[in-house]
């Protein structure tokens, strides 16, 4: 079942993802940095950003990992195109097309 689902996600016409590989990597890095800032923030000066920044970082991190953005879905847009270098699909499939364009 999982293999069939993975194969259907690799097909561009049935892809559930709407985020391209570059967008995904940027979202993962930014989200991880926002969450990681909590560990480097001085605890003696706790402000609203001490709580808000890591919570806000969850959104780009999760959307980058999942490859699907609800905001893009509402506006019916995609950051992945139809060419093989920036195709929609699973993360390993997108990475393979980025490294080895066919």
């Amino acid at each position: 079942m999982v293999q069939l689902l993975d194969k259907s996600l690799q097909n561009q016409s049935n892809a559930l993802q709407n985020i391209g590989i570059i967008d995904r990597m940027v979202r993962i890095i930014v989200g991880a940095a926002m969450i990681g800032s909590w560990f480097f923030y001085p605890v003696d000066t706790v402000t609203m950003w001490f709580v808000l920044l890591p919570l806000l970082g969850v959104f780009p991190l999760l959307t980058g990992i999942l490859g699907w953005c609800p905001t893009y879905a509402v506006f019916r847009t995609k950051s992945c195109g139809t060419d093989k270098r920036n195709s929609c699909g699973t993360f390993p499939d997108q990475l393979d097309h980025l490294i080895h364009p066919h």
Side-chain angles (χ1 to χ4, degrees):
M1 177 73 174
V2 173
Q3 186 179 16
L4 291 174
L5 182 63
D6 187 47
K7 290 293 183 188
S8 70
L9 290 175
Q10 290 177 6
N11 185 359
Q12 290 177 349
S13 62
N14 296 332
L16 296 175
Q17 284 83 10
N18 59 5
I19 300 175
I21 186 73
I22 307 280
D23 195 2
R24 283 178 96 162
M25 286 193 267
V26 168
R27 285 172 185 251
I28 290 170
I29 291 169
V30 168
M34 290 172 76
I35 293 170
S37 69
W38 187 75
F39 296 105
F40 298 107
Y41 202 83
V43 179
D44 58 339
T45 58
V46 174
T47 62
M48 182 178 64
W49 289 111
F50 182 76
V51 176
L52 264 180
L53 198 60
L55 290 176
L56 292 175
V58 170
F59 181 78
L61 182 66
L62 284 179
T63 57
I65 290 171
L66 296 175
W68 182 78
C69 178
T71 309
Y72 283 3
V74 167
F75 292 110
R76 294 184 179 155
T77 186
K78 293 182 177 185
S79 64
C80 50
T82 57
D83 62 338
K84 284 291 185 183
R85 273 194 93 119
N86 192 26
S87 62
C88 290
T90 61
F91 189 71
D93 185 50
Q94 285 180 326
L95 198 57
D96 182 51
H97 287 308
L98 184 66
I99 295 171
H100 308 294
H102 302 281

